[in-house]
Amino acid sequence: MEIIKNTLSVGAEKPFVLLHISDIHLSESDSNDSPERKAFAEARKRGFSFAPDAVEFVKEYVKKTKYPIINTGDMLDFITPENLRIAKDLLESTDMMFVAGNHEYWHCPNNRFHYDDVFSTYERKNETLSFVSEQLGTDVRFFYREICGVNLVGIDDSDYCIDAEIFEKLKNVEAQEKPILLFMH
């Protein structure tokens, strides 16, 4: 993995460091998945073979540096219990702020999700993201944290649209009149 370093002047009270990651695309399945889901996962893993190493690299890097992480989505390539387990482990073993990308609710054509209650249509995206949030133990539609006088905000724009609920949350943070770093997929 290559680390690209950037310096931003955003009005912080003192310098701070963040690690930004995106698009890991976990493509795993397990013994509970159907044969077609396993085949689908194997096909997707060919394109995202770096994902397991990326997860381990991030864990080790953060263990050494103690940097907080901003993850701007597509940690999952599609929803399976194994992808959720790996993602949850990464979230729990690091100081990660995470906001959804389009793959956190992705419907895989001609493939059934392992979980029968995972919604598979785009129109029910927020229900799927609620399910993913519940499984991961974090709100994948919105995060907010202040570091050194700067508000870090992550919002779900995974369909290139910010809904009214998320917009209200963003306005509440903006009303604090502090610098904002806004993170989206």
Side-chain angles (χ1 to χ4, degrees):
M1 299 236 7
E2 181 182 353
I3 295 183
I4 300 169
K5 297 180 180 184
N6 293 302
T7 302
L8 303 173
S9 179
V10 295
E13 296 163 352
K14 63 180 185 174
F16 63 94
V17 177
L18 300 170
L19 178 63
H20 173 242
I21 63 174
S22 187
D23 293 274
I24 289 178
H25 287 273
L26 292 168
S27 303
E28 303 298 326
S29 65
D30 64 19
S31 61
N32 296 310
D33 288 309
S34 68
E36 70 178 355
R37 174 53 85 199
K38 290 178 186 176
F40 182 80
E42 284 303 314
R44 294 295 291 178
K45 281 171 41 170
R46 284 192 288 278
F48 300 108
S49 61
F50 62 85
D53 290 339
V55 169
E56 290 308 311
F57 176 85
V58 168
K59 280 183 183 179
E60 289 302 313
Y61 190 77
V62 170
K63 186 189 262 184
K64 287 188 293 192
T65 64
K66 308 291 188 230
Y67 294 155
I69 304 170
I70 304 287
N71 185 332
T72 53
D74 288 359
M75 182 160 33
L76 311 176
D77 190 51
F78 50 90
I79 301 166
T80 65
E82 185 64 5
N83 285 340
L84 289 167
R85 184 196 64 73
I86 295 167
K88 184 173 185 170
D89 178 66
L90 182 59
L91 281 157
E92 290 177 345
S93 65
T94 62
D95 180 12
M96 183 183 295
M97 294 159 271
F98 174 58
V99 68
N102 56 303
H103 281 258
E104 272 70 42
Y105 70 89
W106 187 41
H107 169 62
C108 305
N110 302 318
N111 287 278
R112 290 181 45 96
F113 288 112
H114 172 73
Y115 291 138
D116 290 335
D117 53 352
V118 172
F119 308 99
S120 61
T121 61
Y122 175 81
E123 292 78 23
R124 297 177 71 190
K125 172 190 90 149
N126 287 340
E127 293 174 61
T128 301
L129 290 179
S130 291
F131 173 82
V132 170
S133 292
E134 180 182 309
Q135 296 300 305
L136 296 181
T138 190
D139 183 358
V140 300
R141 297 197 62 233
F142 181 88
F143 72 74
Y144 155 72
R145 184 187 301 176
E146 180 184 333
I147 296 180
C148 298
V150 176
N151 288 328
L152 309 177
V153 179
I155 61 173
D156 167 33
D157 75 328
S158 55
D159 58 0
Y160 311 106
C161 180
I162 301 167
D163 70 24
E165 176 188 350
I166 300 298
F167 189 64
E168 283 304 313
K169 289 180 178 183
L170 179 58
K171 285 183 358 185
N172 289 336
V173 175
E174 191 275 332
Q176 297 176 21
E177 298 183 354
K178 296 178 182 176
I180 294 175
L181 286 177
L182 184 61
F183 296 93
M184 303 178 274
H185 184 65

